[in-house]
Amino acid sequence: TAHTTSSHPNAYFSVELPDLLAIVQRPVNGVAFPESVLAIDRTQLTAWGADYVAGLRQRSPAAKHITDKMPANFFAVGLIHLMLPNAKIIHVNRNPVDTCLSCFTRLFNRKQNQTYDLSELGRYYVDYARLMNHWRQVLPAGVLLDVQYEAIVADPEAQARRILDYCELEWNDACLDFHKHKRSIRTASVTQVRQPIYKTSVERWRSYEKHLGPLLD
């Protein structure tokens, strides 16, 4: 979805930015994260939002919209809404086992330690899913847009239009041609970004099912 929106002429594509998580993990009155959340007030939240936006503007001063595709931002969805009430938060759902298999078969260049053991990865995914359900329950309606990965594969244009409508961006044909862009890409999915949308990753896990017992358990 980040590649859909960032292919729009009024949007700027950024990589997986560490900015937001660095801001929300700042100590508050000497209290470290996550207990610091209990001490945050509206003034602090507004200041944090301004700091984040200032960092984005340094990256692309002329951009009208900027995407931030850091996966770990899911930890801070509630704070994102409080810091940036006009932010458009898009959450892509995918078959859980396909998601975990994709993580397990990729050698990340740093951290992501939960992805190297199938049992731990399964527990991590369950916790992530529980947290996302919590955000859906406590956030106002319309703050979070859920998009199904398999729906994107089945009908890219329909989902692209849905995403752009949510982001209040007009339709542009370039949003379906993201793989043709020559921008620099520094992300674990770089090889996928350079290809048009393909269907081979849907239900991919079934080819490896006999090896996935600890994950499925």
Side-chain angles (χ1 to χ4, degrees), residues 39-188:
I40 297 173
D41 58 20
R42 170 54 58 187
T43 300
Q44 188 80 66
L45 290 166
T46 301
W48 281 6
D51 288 348
Y52 177 71
V53 171
L56 295 182
R57 294 200 181 283
Q58 287 183 349
R59 296 175 185 275
S60 182
K64 295 182 179 179
H65 306 277
I66 295 180
T67 63
D68 179 350
K69 63 185 292 287
M70 173 62 80
N73 283 348
F74 80 87
F75 283 114
V77 169
L79 285 174
I80 292 172
H81 173 62
L82 294 173
M83 291 164 52
L84 304 159
N86 294 322
K88 303 294 185 179
I89 305 173
I90 302 174
H91 174 240
V92 180
N93 296 278
R94 185 184 181 188
N95 177 294
V97 192
D98 276 336
T99 299
C100 291
L101 178 63
S102 178
C103 294
F104 185 69
T105 55
R106 187 166 305 281
L107 181 61
F108 295 95
N109 66 351
R110 58 183 177 181
K111 299 184 179 179
Q112 310 304 329
N113 295 328
Q114 75 277 4
T115 67
Y116 300 124
D117 178 88
L118 287 174
S119 293
E120 183 178 357
L121 181 56
R123 293 192 297 270
Y124 186 96
Y125 187 94
V126 169
D127 287 340
Y128 143 77
R130 290 175 57 205
L131 182 56
M132 289 309 305
N133 283 334
H134 169 72
W135 295 137
R136 293 188 191 95
Q137 292 170 9
V138 300
L139 290 172
V143 168
L144 177 70
L145 178 70
D146 276 300
V147 178
Q148 193 66 33
Y149 172 86
E150 290 80 5
I152 297 174
V153 173
D155 193 344
E157 181 173 339
Q159 294 303 309
R161 289 183 180 276
R162 178 170 172 252
I163 292 166
L164 292 180
D165 182 62
Y166 170 70
C167 294
E168 300 179 12
L169 292 170
E170 295 182 356
W171 173 255
N172 190 286
D173 289 339
C175 295
L176 294 181
D177 294 327
F178 59 85
H179 60 287
K180 296 180 181 179
H181 286 209
K182 299 185 182 300
R183 61 175 180 257
S184 174
I185 298 172
R186 298 187 305 277
T187 176

Side-chain angles (χ1 to χ4, degrees), residues 6-54:
S6 61
S7 297
H8 195 282
N10 288 337
Y12 170 76
F13 174 79
S14 69
V15 293
E16 299 171 359
L17 300 177
D19 306 26
L20 189 132
L21 293 179
I23 290 173
V24 301
Q25 292 182 66
R26 292 173 179 172
V28 177
N29 298 330
V31 179
F33 181 86
E35 288 78 7
S36 57
V37 172
L38 298 174
I40 297 173
D41 58 20
R42 170 54 58 187
T43 300
Q44 188 80 66
L45 290 166
T46 301
W48 281 6
D51 288 348
Y52 177 71
V53 171

